[in-house]
């Protein structure tokens, strides 16, 4: 769902710039570079996303023999400075949770906070992926869903999630292993944008009573999971595996939280 939105956005702005009638084999690297650099100056993040999406699409066009080579293969945008991820404490999370009345949404938020799963992974989770005896959840690729980097992983379930999932079972009639774990009142899978919007409303509501950062969004729950682990002394390598990062460099954004380790390292000079 999210990927389809990215495709529509990327090709939408490209067609708006080039016009709808230009043949795909006439879209040169020079044309694309001028188009992307022009947009990058005013919309860095959106343009970087469009660049990745179009590059992938043109790669597929090469495989289908529509074009001979990928015109975006050698085009690189300037690197975007990485901001430190926004994360929340357990106390702040409970304040947000208290503002949500829907019990299923509460379970979804809780699952994100204690597993670090992406929103798409949670909403596409099926009961067949929950292993209660082993206390694990498997994030799998299925006919209906593919993980961000196409890799699968197993995450140990926190006791809070075990209790939450076990409490959901009696509420569901004729539960099947192929059913989604989290569904709306009509038994259908939630939409990503809908859940994100509702979570943001809970954040705004909690922020009226506390000093909560209003920039917190659903993905901040994933950041919070990782940040808490790093602060507890879990290695970046292990956090990377739990998050399902394909490159450990992605996990390095949490490295600044290990400042105590750096202090102890420098203090070794005194011994």
């Amino acid at each position: 769902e999210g990927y389809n939105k990215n495709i529509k956005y990327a090709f939408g702005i490209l067609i708006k710039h080039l016009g709808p009638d230009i043949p795909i084999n006439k879209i040169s690297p020079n044309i694309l570079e001028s188009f992307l650099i022009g947009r990058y100056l005013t919309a860095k993040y959106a343009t970087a996303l469009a660049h990745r999406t179009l590059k992938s699409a043109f790669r597929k066009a090469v495989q289908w023999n529509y074009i001979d080579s990928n015109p975006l293969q050698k085009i690189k945008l300037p690197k975007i400075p990485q901001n430190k991820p926004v994360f929340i404490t357990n106390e702040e999370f409970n304040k947000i949770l208290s503002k949500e009345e829907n019990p299923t949404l509460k379970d979804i938020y809780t699952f994100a906070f204690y597993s670090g799963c992406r929103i798409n992974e949670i909403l596409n989770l099926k009961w067949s992926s929950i292993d209660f005896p082993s206390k694990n959840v498997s994030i799998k690729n299925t006919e209906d869903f593919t993980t961000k980097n196409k890799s699968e992983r197993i995450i140990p379930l926190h006791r809070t999630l075990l209790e939450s999932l076990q409490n959901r079972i009696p509420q569901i009639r004729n539960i099947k292993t192929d059913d989604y774990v989290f569904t709306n009142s009509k038994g259908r899978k939630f939409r990503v944008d809908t859940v994100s919007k509702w979570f943001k409303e809970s954040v705004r509501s909690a922020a009226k009573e506390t000093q909560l950062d209003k920039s917190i969004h659903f993905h901040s729950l994933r950041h919070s999971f990782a940040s808490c682990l790093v602060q507890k002394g879990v290695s970046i390598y292990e956090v990377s595996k739990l998050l399902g990062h394909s490159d450990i460099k992605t996990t390095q954004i949490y490295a600044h939280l290990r400042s105590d380790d750096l202090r102890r390292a420098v203090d070794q000079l005194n011994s």
Side-chain angles (χ1 to χ4, degrees):
E1 183 180 348
Y3 186 64
N4 289 335
K5 289 175 67 176
N6 294 343
I7 293 175
K8 289 179 181 178
Y9 170 76
F11 276 96
I13 59 175
L14 181 62
I15 291 172
K16 185 177 180 180
H17 179 76
L18 302 179
D21 301 323
I22 184 170
I24 189 172
N25 59 357
K26 297 297 183 182
I27 304 177
S28 69
N30 289 342
I31 290 175
L32 288 170
E33 186 171 30
S34 175
F35 159 67
L36 290 168
I37 294 299
R39 291 191 62 86
Y40 183 86
L41 297 175
T42 56
K44 291 182 176 63
Y45 294 97
T47 306
L49 175 61
H51 174 262
R52 293 194 299 270
T53 305
L54 291 171
K55 187 175 181 179
S56 177
F58 280 117
R59 188 184 304 120
K60 183 63 69 174
V62 172
Q63 294 174 4
W64 290 342
N65 296 318
Y66 291 153
I67 52 179
D68 295 329
S69 60
N70 188 338
L72 278 171
Q73 188 61 42
K74 295 184 179 180
I75 297 176
K76 294 184 178 181
L77 295 177
K79 285 189 176 181
I80 300 174
Q82 281 193 331
N83 296 323
K84 293 178 181 178
V86 176
F87 62 92
I88 56 177
T89 64
N90 189 72
E91 182 182 359
E92 290 171 327
F93 173 66
N94 286 329
K95 288 178 180 177
I96 295 172
L97 208 60
S98 70
K99 300 302 178 183
E100 178 56 65
E101 297 180 357
N102 186 307
T104 301
L105 289 174
K106 282 189 174 186
D107 287 346
I108 291 174
Y109 304 163
T110 300
F111 200 95
F113 187 77
Y114 286 102
S115 73
C117 286
R118 301 177 179 93
I119 187 169
N120 259 319
E121 294 172 340
I122 297 171
L123 299 186
N124 282 281
L125 191 65
K126 296 184 177 181
W127 285 107
S128 57
S129 294
I130 308 297
D131 186 343
F132 284 107
S134 298
K135 301 179 182 179
N136 291 326
V137 57
S138 299
I139 306 302
K140 303 176 180 178
N141 294 313
T142 66
E143 292 182 0
D144 308 318
F145 171 72
T146 304
T147 62
K148 186 175 180 179
N149 57 17
K150 298 181 175 59
S151 65
E152 301 183 348
R153 68 190 190 280
I154 295 176
I155 304 172
L157 286 169
H158 188 277
R159 62 179 180 274
T160 301
L161 296 187
L162 274 173
E163 183 179 343
S164 171
L165 291 169
Q166 288 167 340
N167 288 340
R168 290 190 60 75
I169 294 176
Q171 304 172 27
I172 305 171
R173 295 180 180 179
N174 302 319
I175 188 171
K176 300 176 182 177
T177 58
D178 202 41
D179 289 343
Y180 291 110
V181 175
F182 303 107
T183 57
N184 61 22
S185 58
K186 296 181 180 180
R188 297 174 183 170
K189 184 174 70 171
F190 282 99
R191 290 173 55 90
V192 169
D193 53 352
T194 302
V195 173
S196 296
K197 178 183 176 182
W198 283 331
F199 178 75
K200 194 67 180 179
E201 289 179 359
S202 295
V203 171
R204 293 195 188 99
S205 180
K208 292 178 181 178
E209 303 173 4
T210 65
Q211 298 298 316
L212 197 66
D213 188 341
K214 293 182 180 179
S215 68
I216 292 167
H217 47 82
F218 192 93
H219 202 69
S220 301
L221 298 175
R222 177 172 163 86
H223 288 317
S224 301
F225 171 79
S227 300
C228 182
L229 290 177
V230 172
Q231 289 176 315
K232 294 289 186 180
V234 179
S235 73
I236 292 293
Y237 175 79
E238 291 172 307
V239 174
S240 179
K241 290 296 183 183
L242 289 169
L243 293 179
H245 286 162
S246 57
D247 190 336
I248 198 170
K249 291 179 181 178
T250 308
T251 325
Q252 291 294 339
I253 59 173
Y254 305 104
H256 69 283
L257 297 172
R258 299 296 293 271
S259 57
D260 289 345
D261 288 357
L262 298 178
R263 168 56 59 190
R264 284 193 292 271
V266 174
D267 285 345
Q268 294 300 315
L269 295 174
N270 297 325
S271 59

